[in-house]
Each structure stands twice: as structure tokens, then as C-alpha cells.
Amino acid sequence: MEKRKCLLAILKIIILCYFFGFLIAMLLISVSNSKFIVYLISPILNVILLTFLALQEKKKAFGLWDFSGKLNWKIVVGSVLMGCVLYGVGLLFNELFHIPIEHQNFDIAYFFLQICTSVFLAAFIEELFCRKFVITSMEESGFPPIVVLLFSSILFYLGHVNFFVLDFHPIETFIIGVILFFLYTKTREIRYCMIVHATGNLLAIIYQTWIV
């Protein structure tokens, strides 16, 4: 894939994802402005992204659905520990930049939605896109490793910016993207990245619900 076509394919997925996500978000908010409806926006965006990834996989096989390799359980344990450490780093950044963490009152329906969305859906789909799809397509197109590293990490950072309320995450999201880039390129196993991502998201839910 040529470099120009590669970047256009990636940007097209992002633009279409946010376009349809914005339309659906506006429709949901027009129907109801309840907190639960608003929290449906994130999983809907993830499902839209997964749909476009599936369409892209049909055009050119990237092996997005290949999970046949055997996992190294030492790396699995290391990935869980890495997720814990990276979440701890995130808390440290919040303290340094005086960014408040919103407490979430426990609600069984919302808690279940968070687990399904953040721990399973988001960790799975975001890693497929930001790591496996973006890195693989850019490498095959001949981009230098440093460009792939920066581009994929910046995309990961921007994917965690809430453009609806201009809620910009601090720099640790970019740093996490860099670390996950190296984890994926060294192991070539996206499931390790998913484990790191899911662990961090699970800790965030627990911390916001029962600790903060």
C-alpha cells in the first residue's frame, strides 16, 4: 500500500467513525439527556469503528481476527502488571497537573455497562485499530519506525479526547501509546496490548467507584 493511500485509508476510517458517531450521539441526546444515554455514545463509537475495520479487512487482509497464536503466560502476567503501573502513572500525572477525578456512584446497570464497554469492547477495538491495523498498514507502506510510533501514539491520544466537551487528556495517554507500540512490535501479539489496556480501564472503574 502506498504511503498516501495508507494515510488516507486510516484518516477515512477516523472521519467516518466520528461523523456517524456524532450523528448517533445527537440523535440519542435529542431523545433523552439522561446520564445513561450519554454513556452509550462511547460503545456506539467503538462498534462503528469495528464495523469500518471489518470492511477494511475485506479489502485487504491485515490478519485482524487472527488470535490463533499461543500466549506466553509470563508476558500475560507482565502485561497485567504493566497495566497496573501505567494506571498508577496516570494517577500521578493527575496529581501533578491538579486534574480532578470524578467519583461515580455505584449503579449496577451503569457499572455493568462500564465493564462491557471499557474493559472488553474499548480495549479490544482500540488496540486492533491503533496498534494492529495502523502499525501493520504503515509498516507495509514503508513508513520509518519513528513515524509509525509517533502517528499511532498520537492517534491513541486523540482517541481519548472528548471533543464534545473539549476534555483533553494529559500527556500520559500518549506515553501509554508509545509503550504499547513497543510491546506490540516486540511481541507481534495484540492480545498483550489488550490485556494492558483492559487492566488499566478496570482499575479506573474501581478507583472512580470505590476509592476516589
Side-chain angles (χ1 to χ4, degrees):
M1 187 184 292
E2 297 177 5
K3 291 181 180 180
R4 180 174 171 273
K5 289 183 178 179
C6 171
L7 290 179
L8 287 176
I10 294 171
L11 293 176
K12 182 174 71 173
I13 290 175
I14 295 171
I15 292 170
L16 288 174
C17 181
Y18 273 99
F19 173 73
F20 286 107
F22 178 78
L23 290 181
I24 294 173
M26 292 300 99
L27 178 62
L28 289 174
I29 293 173
S30 67
V31 172
S32 172
N33 60 357
S34 72
K35 195 173 184 179
F36 191 79
I37 290 293
V38 172
Y39 285 130
L40 289 175
I41 295 174
S42 178
I44 288 172
L45 278 173
N46 278 296
V47 170
I48 293 172
L49 177 56
L50 183 63
T51 302
F52 283 118
L53 281 176
L55 292 174
Q56 191 66 37
E57 180 75 3
K58 278 191 173 182
K59 292 181 181 178
K60 184 182 186 302
F62 289 93
L64 292 179
W65 322 125
D66 182 11
F67 302 106
S68 58
K70 187 176 180 180
L71 291 175
N72 183 319
W73 288 102
K74 290 183 180 179
I75 303 180
V76 169
V77 173
S79 299
V80 172
L81 294 176
M82 185 183 293
C84 295
V85 170
L86 290 178
Y87 183 69
V89 171
L91 291 179
L92 179 61
F93 269 87
N94 287 333
E95 287 293 326
L96 290 175
F97 292 100
H98 306 290
I99 300 172
I101 299 177
E102 181 184 357
H103 171 73
Q104 301 288 350
N105 294 321
F106 179 76
D107 176 87
I108 187 63
Y110 172 59
F111 182 78
F112 179 75
L113 177 63
Q114 276 190 310
I115 293 294
C116 291
T117 300
S118 297
V119 179
F120 295 105
L121 194 63
F124 176 79
I125 298 173
E126 288 174 16
E127 292 308 315
L128 274 184
F129 178 68
C130 291
R131 247 63 65 182
K132 195 163 191 178
F133 174 72
V134 171
I135 291 175
T136 302
S137 58
M138 291 185 73
E139 286 177 340
E140 291 183 355
S141 299
F143 283 95
I146 186 63
V147 175
V148 182
L149 165 64
L150 292 174
F151 189 80
S152 61
S153 301
I154 290 171
L155 279 185
F156 184 65
Y157 168 77
L158 293 177
H160 289 79
V161 172
N162 189 339
F163 290 102
F164 295 107
V165 295
L166 297 181
D167 177 20
F168 291 88
H169 276 58
I171 196 64
E172 82 269 8
T173 310
F174 173 78
I175 296 173
I176 292 170
V178 171
I179 293 172
L180 290 176
F181 168 87
F182 285 111
L183 178 61
Y184 176 67
T185 54
K186 293 296 182 183
T187 64
R188 288 294 163 180
E189 177 52 75
I190 195 63
R191 285 174 290 180
Y192 297 135
C193 297
M194 292 175 180
I195 292 170
V196 174
H197 199 150
T199 300
N201 286 355
L202 177 61
L203 289 175
I205 295 170
I206 293 172
Y207 188 83
Q208 287 183 272
T209 306
W210 286 296
I211 299 177
V212 69

